[in-house]
Amino acid sequence: MAGYIDGLVQDVRSGKTTARALVEQALEKAKETESYHALLSLTAERALERADAIDQTIAGGKAPGRLAGVPFVVKDNFLAFGAPTTAASKMLEHYDAPLQATAVEKLEAEGAICIGKANLDAFAHGGSTENSAYGVTMNAHDTTKVAGGSSGGSAVVTALDVVPFALGTDTGGSIRQPASFNGVYGMKPTYGMISRYGVVAMASGTDVIGCFAKDAADIALVTDVMAGQDWRDMTTLPDFFAPQDTVPEKLRIGVVKDMMTDDVDASVRQATEAYVGRLEAAGHVVDYVDMPIVKHTLAMYYIIVPAEVSSNLARYDGVRYGLRAEGVKTLAELYGKSRSEGFVTENKRRIMIGSFVLSSGYYDAYYNQAQKARTLLIEAYNKLFESHDVLISPTAPTTAFGIGENTDDPIKMYLSDVMTVPASLAGLPALNVPAGEDTSGLPIGVQLTGPQKSDALLIALAQSMEEK
Amino acid sequence: MTHQISSDDVAQLATLSAISVSDAETEALRDDIANILGYIEQLSELDTTGVEPTYQVTGLQNVFRDDEIMDQTVSSETILAGAPESDEHQFKVPKVL
């Protein structure tokens, strides 16, 4: 089933429109929606050059690629040409990427055109895009609410129709939660499915990249272009992703009870139940399942991920690239001051928590205990997937919260990841599907989760429900 | 639940993390870190006796490639161009000794 992007590409190829017209339109829309502060930079010059090259390819009768002329936006932690890659930090304010991320290269090889770079929580640390060193991004549906995060800007430009798709990264929910908050699809693929080469690393054990789009078919198309093994990211798996047009008639779907507790907004639970009702009406077999380990996963996550963050962010030392503090006399001072000036408070918190849980004396009690608990989480999933094809839950416990509402309390902020971190720790694919809105008109999303490599099934299931 | 942590502990973590922090920042970080540690300590309730830790989720082990020079590399000039300070084809840092 063809999606919106397929239609655009057909129009470009048939001459009904041009790549240049699509890029100009996207740039225009980006300017009109500037007040949301979803984008940190535009790559207009390069985008227009690329558009003209694609239009010439078509005029010359050559095949322009599966995404010919389609404009897109990257989260500003993807190395991409045309503007600095800042990771929304002062550390990388003037950092011009020497190469492009594999995902960006693959999309460009199919004719897609990057028109700009989206805001995020600095170094992708956060769940609201309020930790950006360059200001807050506003929710596409209510400018007093957060965009979600950390890929907030990417979700907002997709929701505002600036571009038909945008790229994000998801370490513990950073694609799914902002997708939920802005009412768009957001896919976190199986760990290792898409190369992360050329993407600013946060926690290598759970980092994945994925896309935002307005319909499931578009998610399938963009994911298909990006998927596959890459010798430059040795954690990538041989390509297994193949979009599927149909879903089995009677899927066994489990609703995770432990993600439907009283801590979850009533409107979110109701929307999830309504979606579940539609799945049943479509002939699928639904039951409620227990997963008590869920209540411990956020604690696991906030041990394992800061540990990896403290290690991955050690590279920002003011020596090889990035910010270097002025007026320092010794090398130790250079490290300390450059890192102090280049990181936001949340970066510092996470690095220091990571240093704590990895210190001798605490390593077994925190870090190793968390990795053992992770085994129990994976076993719980495996057990459920013996009798179920797909699990469903809300994507986030609430709709978008107010700007400034959670900034004083890191724990409260972390709690918005409570539904999304379990799939991250187990390396599972999970998809946010828009599923209605609350009484104030804020979007609600449900999360479909499946076993590793069931990415195509999740997307096809979501697509089959669009048609119903 | 809050974890006992002193300003000295925070200073030690800052040193381990190679981040300079001011006194005011230390106070704020101490409270935040205490709260976060208080939260993550709940994991000690979980019985993990005899459970093996998981460090890698897809089961990949060593991944080898042929020992050949790949074409997609970045020149040292390009890399040095991104450095805050370089000299004679090397990164420059303040005197160490």
Side-chain angles (χ1 to χ4, degrees), chain A residues 324 348 355 368-369 375, chain B residues 17 25 48 52 54-55 92:
Chain A
R324 169 180 285 202
K348 296 177 191 176
S355 300
N368 241 5
Q369 172 71 357
T375 305
Chain B
S17 308
E25 236 181 338
T48 55
E52 288 297 317
T54 298
Y55 299 113
K92 197 171 170 185

Side-chain angles (χ1 to χ4, degrees), chain A residues 378-402:
Chain A
I378 291 168
E379 285 170 358
Y381 270 123
N382 289 345
K383 184 98 186 101
L384 286 172
F385 288 132
E386 281 172 16
S387 50
H388 294 81
D389 301 299
V390 175
L391 299 175
I392 183 169
S393 70
T395 300
T398 65
T399 51
F401 44 87

Side-chain angles (χ1 to χ4, degrees), chain A residues 171 191 196 201-207 235 308-309 312 315:
Chain A
T171 302
Y191 180 79
R196 303 164 305 171
M202 175 179 164
S204 306
T206 64
D207 284 351
T235 61
E308 296 190 16
V309 161
N312 265 332
R315 73 190 70 186

Side-chain angles (χ1 to χ4, degrees), chain A residues 24-230:
Chain A
E24 281 174 347
Q25 219 172 70
L27 291 168
E28 186 62 32
K29 198 78 206 258
K31 291 203 178 94
E32 277 168 28
T33 56
E34 223 166 34
S35 59
Y36 289 86
H37 195 51
L39 291 166
L40 293 177
S41 58
L42 291 175
T43 52
E45 197 185 325
R46 184 168 184 275
L48 289 167
E49 276 170 22
R50 282 188 39 74
D52 289 343
I54 287 162
D55 287 331
Q56 275 166 23
T57 303
I58 294 168
K62 288 187 213 127
R66 295 162 74 193
L67 295 170
V70 180
F72 72 102
V73 156
V74 294
K75 185 180 185 178
D76 201 18
N77 58 351
F78 282 74
L79 302 196
F81 298 146
T85 297
T86 68
S89 70
K90 290 289 176 196
M91 182 65 83
L92 297 178
E93 186 171 6
H94 305 293
Y95 180 65
D96 285 315
L99 49 87
Q100 294 207 108
T102 297
V104 174
E105 290 278 307
K106 283 186 156 186
L107 291 167
E108 287 196 344
E110 291 292 347
I113 301 171
C114 176
I115 64 122
K117 301 177 153 202
N119 201 10
L120 63 147
D121 290 294
F123 288 103
H125 299 177
S128 68
T129 314
E130 291 169 291
N131 291 332
S132 166
Y134 303 103
V136 182
T137 295
M138 288 151 200
N139 188 283
H141 296 260
D142 179 345
T143 54
T144 68
K145 305 291 183 190
V146 298
S150 64
S151 314
S154 301
V156 170
V157 290
T158 307
L160 293 175
D161 292 319
V162 174
V163 281
F165 78 92
L167 301 189
T169 58
D170 189 315
T171 302
S174 282
I175 289 174
R176 292 161 283 162
Q177 184 254 34
S180 169
F181 281 9
N182 290 284
V184 296
Y185 287 86
M187 177 77 194
K188 173 230 174 286
T190 297
Y191 180 79
M193 186 169 105
I194 298 174
S195 168
R196 303 164 305 171
Y197 180 74
V199 177
V200 174
M202 175 179 164
S204 306
T206 64
D207 284 351
V208 299
I209 72 178
C211 60
F212 295 87
K214 279 271 182 84
D215 64 49
D218 291 348
I219 294 276
L221 174 60
V222 175
T223 301
D224 193 31
V225 169
M226 293 192 294
Q229 207 162 20
D230 178 10

Side-chain angles (χ1 to χ4, degrees), chain B residues 24-79:
Chain B
E25 236 181 338
T26 303
E27 295 299 296
L29 282 166
R30 188 191 60 201
D31 294 346
D32 290 343
I33 290 172
N35 285 330
I36 294 166
L37 293 178
Y39 180 80
I40 62 183
E41 260 166 21
Q42 61 161 286
L43 260 201
S44 61
E45 297 164 16
L46 204 61
D47 184 4
T48 55
T49 318
V51 178
E52 288 297 317
T54 298
Y55 299 113
Q56 209 283 347
V57 290
T58 52
L60 278 185
Q61 304 224 342
N62 291 335
V63 178
F64 296 107
R65 65 168 175 83
D66 293 336
D67 187 17
E68 286 167 1
I69 296 170
M70 313 302 280
D71 53 353
Q72 288 152 303
T73 54
V74 179
S75 71
S76 52
E77 284 80 8
T78 305
I79 294 297

